[in-house]
Amino acid sequence: MFADLIGNDAIKHVLRRFVAGRRVPNSLILAGDEGVGKRQFALATVRAMLCRDTTDSEPCGVCSICTRVGEFAFPADDDKDAHKLVIWSGHRDVGTVVPYKRNILVDSIRSLEAEANFRPYEAESRFFIIDDADKMNDAAANALLKTLEEPPDTSHIFLITSRPDSLLQTIRSRCQILRFSPIERADVERHLIEKRAYSHDEARLAAALSHGSIGRAVSINAEEYRRRSERMMTVVNNAIGSRDAATLLKISEEMNDAKNKDGFESEIDLLESLLHDIWRIAKTGDQNAIVNTEYSAVLSRLSEASASSAIPVWIDSIEKLRGELNVNINKKVATDALFVTMAASK
């Protein structure tokens, strides 16, 4: 329900206006950082369009339709055949496509194409949500393009993405784009306390580390975070201070150990966050605007010692590495190359 969504009030207003005029676009891109609620905004829009007891474009949230819209039975991660099909909610006019491993299968987009051309079962329209739409390969993207070029009047396709620039330009040009902003830190903290029963200290830490993402905030394990952040601080200290490539390569080995397979991306995120903080202090001198406040003194010292021109290059390299994770690169080789480059920078 729109009333329950946190932040991005301007987008709420736009979506409510679409619903009020019954003019939801046939193709819509919801773009923004991970965990800011893009999928929940999409589902709220679907509920508002299908619910038969709305008030001022707000779905009731309790009727059979509102309940069924959000009831998805997602397949097991290793069930490739199930990922080749549209996954239906409890409402037979609301379906979704999700990635299999790191890619959206072309068969799932072809399934969506076929389903989008069927008449609705019980509603006036059908709605399809493509999660992580940037994970479509060329074949899947081109299959979707055929549907977007001549969209059926009774079907609406929502593309959810944190990397809209990775979508084909021809896809972007055929969709209306709504760009989500990070959620205010105070709003994240309030949500964690009021809705998730966090203590004030836990909520303050999680909100500070969330980068404006509710999803990231609730996934943070304070003890695990501190362990990982200490390791990434060691990387930053060595890259800017001692330039000890051997130590950095040892940390790369630890990051890529099989025991850490679920932590690699979070550590890369932490490293990038620390570098952003150093860059911010170097440029503005403002320690109050940084994310990793517990390291403010150390980061301030590093900002004075760093070759500030190198930090944007490192950040770009991290972004490139993150983008290449979708094509199954050798993470150990990529991390080694990143760390050696950081140690060699002047």
Side-chain angles (χ1 to χ4, degrees), residues 89 101 141 147 202 212 216 303:
S89 74
K101 301 190 182 300
T147 304
E202 290 172 335
R216 186 179 290 114
S303 72

Side-chain angles (χ1 to χ4, degrees), residues 11-86:
I11 292 180
K12 286 184 199 175
H13 177 72
V14 170
L15 293 173
R16 278 178 162 147
R17 194 177 65 209
F18 285 159
V19 171
R22 314 303 289 179
R23 296 180 64 85
V24 173
N26 290 104
S27 50
L28 186 64
I29 293 174
L30 286 75
D33 290 345
E34 293 285 352
V36 296
K38 301 182 296 295
R39 182 179 174 85
Q40 295 307 313
F41 273 73
L43 288 172
T45 304
V46 175
R47 287 188 174 101
M49 287 292 288
L50 299 183
C51 179
R52 295 168 185 159
D53 191 21
T54 59
T55 302
D56 295 330
S57 302
E58 180 76 17
C60 73
V62 296
C63 69
S64 169
I65 290 174
C66 286
T67 302
R68 286 185 288 133
V69 161
E71 293 178 340
F72 289 92
F74 291 100
D77 291 343
D78 60 353
D79 189 345
K80 185 174 183 179
D81 287 340
H83 283 82
K84 293 179 179 180
L85 302 171
V86 170

Side-chain angles (χ1 to χ4, degrees), residues 211 232 236 266-278 292 311 314-316 318-319 322:
H211 300 262
M232 291 304 99
V236 173
S266 66
E267 292 194 73
I268 288 295
D269 288 343
L270 271 169
L271 177 59
E272 185 172 6
S273 174
L274 291 167
L275 292 173
H276 270 296
D277 282 348
I278 294 171
N292 302 280
I311 292 181
W314 296 351
I315 292 172
D316 285 345
I318 292 170
E319 284 292 315
R322 183 184 288 108

Side-chain angles (χ1 to χ4, degrees), residues 241-314:
S242 63
R243 304 190 186 283
D244 184 350
T247 296
L248 293 178
L249 290 174
K250 181 180 178 181
I251 293 174
S252 172
E253 186 172 344
E254 293 171 358
M255 291 173 64
N256 288 280
D257 187 275
K259 296 178 181 178
N260 193 53
K261 65 178 181 179
D262 295 328
F264 178 85
E265 291 186 48
S266 66
E267 292 194 73
I268 288 295
D269 288 343
L270 271 169
L271 177 59
E272 185 172 6
S273 174
L274 291 167
L275 292 173
H276 270 296
D277 282 348
I278 294 171
W279 174 253
R280 190 174 291 112
I281 295 172
K283 290 301 177 183
T284 68
D286 185 3
Q287 295 184 33
N288 296 319
I290 66 174
V291 172
N292 302 280
T293 53
E294 68 272 35
Y295 296 116
S296 58
V298 178
L299 295 174
S300 181
R301 174 178 58 79
L302 290 172
S303 72
E304 297 173 359
S306 67
S308 58
S309 60
I311 292 181
V313 177
W314 296 351

Side-chain angles (χ1 to χ4, degrees), residues 71-312:
E71 293 178 340
F72 289 92
F74 291 100
D77 291 343
D78 60 353
D79 189 345
K80 185 174 183 179
D81 287 340
H83 283 82
K84 293 179 179 180
L85 302 171
V86 170
I87 300 163
W88 296 103
S89 74
H91 193 298
R92 195 60 173 81
D93 290 319
V94 182
T96 191
V97 166
V98 298
Y100 171 70
K101 301 190 182 300
R102 291 189 174 275
N103 293 287
I104 290 177
L105 303 176
V106 64
D107 292 310
S108 66
I109 298 300
R110 288 172 180 157
S111 173
L112 185 154
E113 178 185 14
E115 294 288 352
N117 283 286
F118 290 146
R119 301 291 299 176
Y121 279 78
E122 60 175 292
E124 294 179 356
S125 299
R126 310 195 87 189
F127 294 86
F128 301 90
I129 298 172
I130 303 178
D131 268 337
D132 295 321
D134 48 274
K135 293 183 179 179
M136 290 185 290
N137 59 23
D138 288 345
N142 286 319
L144 177 63
L145 190 57
K146 295 177 182 178
T147 304
L148 298 181
E149 287 173 343
E150 298 181 5
D153 291 339
T154 57
S155 288
H156 304 268
I157 301 173
F158 297 161
L159 286 76
I160 311 294
T161 178
S162 58
R163 301 171 60 229
D165 292 344
S166 297
L167 297 172
L168 291 180
Q169 193 281 329
T170 45
I171 286 179
R172 298 199 305 270
S173 68
R174 286 166 172 78
C175 300
Q176 185 162 337
I177 302 180
L178 297 179
R179 298 187 181 274
F180 286 68
S181 301
I183 302 169
E184 293 292 332
R185 185 183 297 185
D187 291 336
V188 176
E189 186 172 339
R190 188 180 308 111
H191 171 80
L192 295 176
I193 293 170
E194 295 177 357
K195 304 296 184 181
R196 304 271 181 168
Y198 277 48
S199 71
H200 286 271
D201 287 343
E202 290 172 335
R204 190 178 301 111
L205 174 62
L209 301 173
S210 69
H211 300 262
S213 163
I214 292 290
R216 186 179 290 114
V218 299
S219 70
I220 290 170
N221 176 302
E223 182 178 344
E224 188 70 16
Y225 161 77
R226 290 188 176 93
R227 184 179 68 79
R228 297 187 190 284
S229 60
E230 286 293 336
R231 183 148 64 190
M232 291 304 99
M233 277 301 303
T234 302
V235 171
V236 173
N237 268 309
N238 276 275
I240 293 176
S242 63
R243 304 190 186 283
D244 184 350
T247 296
L248 293 178
L249 290 174
K250 181 180 178 181
I251 293 174
S252 172
E253 186 172 344
E254 293 171 358
M255 291 173 64
N256 288 280
D257 187 275
K259 296 178 181 178
N260 193 53
K261 65 178 181 179
D262 295 328
F264 178 85
E265 291 186 48
S266 66
E267 292 194 73
I268 288 295
D269 288 343
L270 271 169
L271 177 59
E272 185 172 6
S273 174
L274 291 167
L275 292 173
H276 270 296
D277 282 348
I278 294 171
W279 174 253
R280 190 174 291 112
I281 295 172
K283 290 301 177 183
T284 68
D286 185 3
Q287 295 184 33
N288 296 319
I290 66 174
V291 172
N292 302 280
T293 53
E294 68 272 35
Y295 296 116
S296 58
V298 178
L299 295 174
S300 181
R301 174 178 58 79
L302 290 172
S303 72
E304 297 173 359
S306 67
S308 58
S309 60
I311 292 181

